[in-house]
Amino acid sequence: MIDVDAGGVVEFTQALVRIPSTNDPGRRERAAADLVAAKMREWGWQPTVYEVEPDRPNVVAVVEGGGGDGPTLMFEGHTDVVTEGDLSTWTVDPFGGEIRDGKLWGRGSADMKSGLAATLYATRALQLAGPFPGRIKVCALADEEGLMIGAHHFVSEGLTADVDGAIVAEPEAGEICAVAKGALRLRVDFAGKMAHGAMPQHGRNPLPAVGSLLVGLRSLQEELQGRHPAHEHLGEVYVTPTVLQAGSEEQVNVIPAAASVFVDVRTIPGVEHKLIADRVAALAACDGIAAEVSVLVDRPPVDVPVSDPVVAALAAAHRSVTGAEPVYGGVPGSTDGTVLTHWGGVPSVVYGPGGKWIAHQADEFVEVAEIVQCTRVFAEAARRFLNGDF
């Protein structure tokens, strides 16, 4: 088994957690990215920093194996975290990086600063273990929790062109996730005509059209679920209205001139996003009210075969390090891997330390032992992938 710096990866995770690199203005990823780049330089790597947006850099280092020609493996993590939310719901400092009861606590400890740290220390461990064929591209990207501008920038810069497989270090509680749900987010804007509530005949009320759409969305979900049976790892297709905007409580006597409905659609392999958007547009056409559908986010499902080299190498590494058979699962949301696979053409698999359901919650934590074990799995997976030993 490849020797990893267990103490170092835990301490580096703590240092990352102590940086509040939240995905909101004023506390962006700059400081966390700087820490990652500094660690890379300390080891003699030469990271390239790409300014995606102000204070939102991507950090990318290519570590050559020195063992001749071979494939390129990408390790990917993101430096941003969601905000801590209401501090009264926390029993620990969300940015304290405290270790207690065998757990490392804090915002981003699981999602996904421990995974990011594990990719760095795994690569370093393999480098110190001796020459290996090919190379590893270690990437810390910005804005995974938002519009994934870091991953899209990475693809648009052509940085996936030489990548043969990617391991995305999101928290999956030891599951190997080669499939991920798609996400389609729609905005439906209705254009009515303002009028006095006492004289509705002089206006065009968009709210009945909103109500008709909401009923139609439920029927559309049932139709899609009937046509596409639940996926063994991803579950059902969901069509969920999440935001309604119209009028104001200060003017209950006014028919609003406009209304908007936001819809969050979660899909499984085999579901076509364009057909859903078209159906929503048809459902929105009601009572002569003009409706416009805008696609805010379109992230197709990911479905990488378990026989793909990057998945097979990871499974073999998990078996070797843990002594247990790998458990396959699915990502309930989308990750940077969605962008890398769909737009970058790179087979990706998601695996990392931390519980699948602990992300974005108060008192977020990751088991310290899991950080170290995952680092060992990553190092072994890289060795196997690059040597074709899976």
Side-chain angles (χ1 to χ4, degrees), residues 109-330:
S109 54
D111 186 19
M112 58 172 295
K113 289 179 172 178
S114 58
L116 175 59
T119 66
L120 268 72
Y121 275 78
T123 302
R124 178 59 171 167
L126 186 59
Q127 183 183 40
L128 293 175
F132 56 86
R135 64 207 54 80
I136 302 175
K137 190 172 285 191
V138 188
C139 309
L141 306 186
D143 188 47
E144 191 273 348
E145 300 291 1
L147 295 176
M148 300 183 176
I149 61 172
H152 281 289
H153 183 274
F154 186 88
V155 171
S156 68
E157 288 290 306
L159 299 177
T160 57
D162 63 341
V163 177
D164 298 289
I167 296 175
V168 179
E170 294 278 5
E172 295 297 342
E175 291 184 357
I176 294 175
C177 299
V179 293
K181 265 193 167 178
L184 176 67
R185 294 174 191 154
L186 305 173
R187 172 175 178 157
V188 186
D189 291 309
F190 295 91
K193 181 181 178 182
M194 190 174 181
H196 197 294
M199 295 171 282
Q201 70 273 24
H202 295 303
R204 288 194 307 276
N205 193 341
L207 292 182
V210 169
S212 178
L213 174 62
L214 296 179
V215 173
L217 291 177
R218 172 170 287 189
S219 296
L220 176 58
Q221 176 177 283
E222 293 172 353
E223 176 188 328
L224 289 169
Q225 289 177 349
R227 190 183 306 157
H228 303 276
H231 189 280
E232 63 173 323
H233 299 310
L234 301 175
E236 301 275 12
V237 178
Y238 291 113
V239 180
T240 308
T242 53
V243 180
L244 303 177
Q245 295 176 342
S248 68
E249 61 182 284
E250 291 80 18
Q251 296 192 96
V252 179
N253 63 335
V254 175
I255 291 174
S260 298
V261 178
F262 293 75
V263 187
D264 186 7
V265 185
R266 299 301 173 130
T267 61
I268 60 178
V271 179
E272 294 187 42
H273 285 193
K274 185 180 185 306
L275 292 180
I276 294 177
D278 290 344
R279 284 293 306 279
V280 171
L283 291 170
C286 176
D287 296 334
I289 302 295
E292 180 180 357
V293 177
S294 304
V295 177
L296 305 179
V297 170
D298 186 358
R299 300 171 187 160
V302 172
D303 189 7
V304 176
V306 296
S307 59
D308 188 273
V310 72
V311 184
L314 181 59
H318 177 93
R319 187 180 298 111
S320 174
V321 172
T322 69
E325 285 300 310
V327 175
Y328 294 91

